[in-house]
Amino acid sequence: HCTAEADRIIVATQVVEAGVDISAGSLVTDLAPWSSLVQRFGRAARYGGHATVTVLVPPKIDDADEQPYDSASLRAAQEALQKLQDVSLGSLETFEAELPEQQRNELYPYAPAHLLLRREYDELFDTTPDLTGADLDIARFIRSGDERDCLVFWDEVPSEQPAPPADRRPRREELCPVPFLLLREWLCGRESRSQRQPRLRAWVWDWIDGAWKDAAREALLPGRVVCVDAACGGYLPERGFAPDAKARVPVLPPSATQPAFAALQEAADDSQDGENLSIAQWKTIATHGAEVADEAAAIAKAMQLPQPLIDLLRLVGRWHDVGKAHPAFQSRIDPRASGHPDRVDLAKAPAGAWLRSYRCADGERRGFRHELASALALFALLEQCRPDHPALLGPWRQALAALGHPWPQPSAQVGGKLAQDVLALSSADFDLLAYLVAAHHGKVRVALHAAPADQDFVPPKGDSRGLPIRGLREGDVLPSLLLDPQDPPLPELTLTLAPATLGLSPRTGRSWRERTLGLQERFGPAALAWLEALIVAADRRASRWPTPCPLVQSSRMHAAPPSGASNAGWQASDPPLSHGKTA
């Protein structure tokens, strides 16, 4: 706020037009389109009083000199200014209200290059990468035709090091926008060769493998983040991108201001199978699930959601990490790690306890997603305990009989209250539960299909279970799992990929795609995304809770009785669980 005691001169770009809460006593601005000028005027005498506003108008408005604006918008703004004595809020409102429609349209032109249709809106809601790992192109909706930049940063990468570390992430202040064609020409030359010039070392972030990969020509696309070795030059602090500059680029010192959890969150979002958000103190699936359930219910109550929906969101929290009981997830946690509890139902582990890959008896499971295992476990619970459930095969009994499919019989006993709560849901609420469980990391949402890592899987000789989907294979088994110390454990659950198939499955009924389309129609993409965000917020907040896990503590007591004590009578209230069948 400019006062007599606050003599400051602020030189700013267009970013000051909106979102900056300052009040200037004097404002000097170049001529700009009317909507931009109105925003800038709002920074003068923002809290009342008077201010001087000066608009610098060029003697001649020429198309070639007015970038990034077009001359027609500038001429319309100049003509409007000539009719005004002041630019206070009241004067602007009166002036615009009295304008003929044609002149108002000239000041506020609306000529979008792309109009977002409802069909496209629904398609954009599906963020599932295609079989090559590419996402749906949204560039036309978020940038104009002239905005085709890569974001480049420079870093010290020793010559003996093939790429930057996988955990290297640029900060906002390090990024320099560079038109992608200029960047291609600098790194790869003008010819159509795909490889970069050997003397210029550069990398792009590969989301599929969670690593920096060589910056080949075809990888240099608008929006990509590119790291360039500081020794290659190409940047001047006073000018920005400078392809002719040969001097080593000065690198910004590392920042110590980013919270540790924010870094973990960013790393988890930047790879298809990262478990960075599972890095925390030792906690079991049961304890973490209860904490997320409480946090989700607290948020939902604060938002005054109806009680049935609050109850469902609480159930999502309790169930969201059930898939971490899968042997592939547990294999990531090193049993030799310091302080490892004698359990195989862990949801969280410290940073030093994580191994590099997911492994099962049939080999490595790259791209494994525990949240998909959690969702498939819901289908397995219905299939094994109540196949006639309306969310499963209940409505299709006669159709399946006519097609010659025998009616399945229950093969497992219903577990405790949490299992009964799932079995008591309506078909529509079961679909919402399964969807929110699967979507809580944003990696598995409205479609289920194999990722590139799944297509590289080589099954053992004689194994006919087919390829994985997000690291999960037909017939994988979740061992019996304790979800609530007050409940009996869940039964052992055999997972099926049947929901990924199109059409009616004789095991799981409607396909995943049909269910998610029904949810989009029921809630609309915006409301469904809002519910996803609520669960994501609850999960990430609870992941930061420093509360101890009583099940971990009891396991340690069971595994290591005090010195001199006999084993007689030394029993933990919750003995360690066995792994059950191998996958």
Side-chain angles (χ1 to χ4, degrees):
H1 189 184
C2 275
T3 65
E5 296 78 26
D7 296 326
R8 293 185 181 134
I9 296 175
I10 299 176
V11 180
T13 63
Q14 297 95 325
V15 73
V16 80
E17 291 173 8
V20 181
D21 190 12
I22 59 173
S23 181
S26 177
L27 174 71
V28 180
T29 174
D30 286 326
L31 183 65
W34 183 250
S35 59
S36 294
L37 287 177
V38 170
Q39 291 276 22
R40 296 176 194 184
F41 297 158
R43 310 304 125 186
R46 185 170 177 82
Y47 309 128
H50 300 275
T52 301
V53 176
T54 304
V55 181
L56 303 177
V57 179
K60 180 181 179 182
I61 298 176
D62 190 314
D63 287 340
D65 300 328
E66 308 307 334
Q67 296 297 327
Y69 306 126
D70 65 272
S71 58
S73 296
L74 297 183
R75 293 192 185 98
Q78 180 186 16
E79 183 179 342
L81 288 172
Q82 293 171 348
K83 300 176 182 178
L84 287 167
Q85 296 300 315
D86 70 83
V87 290
S88 64
L89 180 61
S91 296
L92 291 175
E93 288 182 343
T94 302
F95 169 70
E96 292 183 0
E98 295 176 350
L99 283 176
E101 183 177 357
Q102 180 180 350
Q103 292 184 32
R104 192 180 296 111
N105 290 339
E106 291 175 354
L107 292 180
Y108 294 102
Y110 180 69
H114 301 281
L115 184 63
L116 183 62
L117 304 177
R118 176 55 193 260
R119 173 182 56 79
E120 293 171 316
Y121 183 38
D122 290 340
E123 289 177 354
L124 289 170
F125 186 70
D126 182 1
T127 56
T128 308
D130 62 24
L131 293 179
T132 68
D135 292 319
L136 184 67
D137 183 17
I138 61 171
R140 65 188 187 276
F141 298 114
I142 62 174
R143 61 171 68 96
S144 69
D146 296 330
E147 295 178 291
R148 297 179 177 273
D149 295 339
C150 291
L151 296 175
V152 185
F153 71 101
W154 282 257
D155 197 9
E156 298 284 356
V157 184
S159 57
E160 66 275 10
Q161 189 172 311
D167 60 355
R168 177 62 167 102
R169 300 292 186 279
R171 305 189 304 278
R172 181 184 296 272
E173 59 267 27
E174 294 181 272
L175 294 171
C176 174
V178 179
F180 84 103
L181 290 177
L182 290 182
L183 187 64
R184 276 186 178 181
E185 183 177 330
W186 179 54
L187 292 176
C188 304
R190 295 186 178 183
E191 297 83 6
S192 60
R193 63 173 180 235
S194 62
Q195 301 300 317
R196 60 173 172 76
Q197 301 185 64
R199 68 178 184 85
L200 298 176
R201 303 175 69 221
W203 304 266
V204 298
W205 180 253
D206 187 301
W207 181 85
I208 298 298
D209 290 331
W212 294 97
K213 296 296 184 67
D214 190 74
R217 177 183 293 270
E218 62 271 13
L220 297 172
L221 300 171
R224 298 300 294 270
V225 176
V226 182
C227 177
V228 178
D229 184 3
C232 299
Y235 180 87
L236 296 173
E238 67 277 8
R239 179 175 150 197
F241 178 61
D244 296 331
K246 307 298 183 184
R248 179 181 292 272
V249 178
V251 176
L252 292 179
S255 172
T257 59
Q258 186 181 37
F261 189 80
L264 294 177
Q265 179 174 309
E266 186 175 324
D269 290 341
D270 278 349
S271 62
Q272 67 167 344
D273 58 0
E275 288 294 350
N276 304 75
L277 291 176
S278 296
I279 297 176
Q281 64 181 348
W282 299 104
K283 281 191 180 179
T284 61
I285 296 169
T287 298
H288 175 61
E291 292 174 345
V292 174
D294 290 343
E295 188 65 41
I299 297 173
K301 288 177 181 177
M303 301 304 298
Q304 299 182 347
L305 297 183
Q307 189 60 46
L309 186 53
I310 294 175
D311 294 340
L312 182 72
L313 293 172
R314 182 183 289 278
L315 191 56
V316 173
R318 295 303 297 258
W319 199 276
H320 79 289
D321 270 355
V322 164
K324 288 184 174 181
H326 193 286
F329 181 88
Q330 296 298 314
S331 75
R332 283 288 303 270
I333 304 175
D334 189 348
R336 302 162 297 178
S338 175
H340 189 291
D342 188 16
R343 304 191 69 92
V344 289
D345 61 342
L346 295 170
K348 304 287 183 181
W354 294 88
L355 300 175
R356 290 184 176 274
S357 61
Y358 303 94
R359 292 199 171 273
C360 287
D362 55 6
E364 185 178 356
R365 298 285 189 91
R366 294 180 59 225
F368 175 82
R369 294 309 314 174
H370 69 265
E371 64 271 29
L372 177 57
S374 301
L376 295 180
L378 288 165
F379 286 91
L381 181 70
L382 263 60
E383 183 183 10
Q384 293 174 210
C385 296
R386 192 182 161 191
D388 62 342
H389 192 282
L392 212 61
L393 301 179
W396 315 109
R397 183 164 192 159
Q398 292 182 341
L400 292 171
L403 293 173
H405 293 285
W407 186 252
Q409 298 299 317
S411 59
Q413 296 295 321
V414 177
K417 183 179 183 303
L418 290 176
Q420 293 172 3
D421 288 345
V422 173
L423 298 176
L425 292 175
S426 68
S427 177
D429 286 348
F430 175 86
D431 288 350
L432 180 59
L433 170 67
Y435 177 79
L436 293 177
V437 164
H440 77 269
H441 282 298
K443 306 294 178 67
V444 180
R445 295 181 68 249
V446 302
L448 299 182
H449 58 63
D454 296 314
Q455 298 173 71
D456 295 335
F457 180 82
V458 179
K461 187 176 181 180
D463 186 329
S464 60
R465 289 195 292 154
L467 291 178
I469 292 180
R470 297 305 182 101
L472 289 157
R473 299 189 70 200
E474 180 71 28
D476 279 358
V477 174
L478 290 188
S480 176
L481 174 68
L482 186 76
L483 269 189
D484 187 334
Q486 309 304 318
D487 266 2
L490 289 174
E492 184 181 87
L493 298 173
T494 302
L495 307 184
T496 176
L497 301 180
T501 60
L502 295 179
L504 181 65
S505 165
R507 293 188 61 179
T508 56
R510 292 174 296 126
S511 69
W512 183 262
R513 187 64 173 174
E514 184 177 347
R515 294 171 191 270
T516 57
L517 287 175
L519 289 171
Q520 285 180 246
E521 293 177 2
R522 177 183 171 191
F523 292 97
L528 196 55
W530 188 88
L531 291 173
E532 286 183 50
L534 189 153
I535 294 299
V536 169
D539 185 27
R540 295 189 177 183
R541 288 182 186 180
S543 294
R544 301 171 70 176
W545 287 9
T547 51
C549 176
L551 300 180
V552 165
Q553 293 176 328
S554 68
S555 294
R556 287 177 177 153
M557 292 172 62
H558 179 81
S563 176
S566 68
N567 288 333
W570 185 262
Q571 297 294 327
S573 59
D574 172 51
L577 301 177
S578 63
H579 228 302
K581 295 180 182 177
T582 57

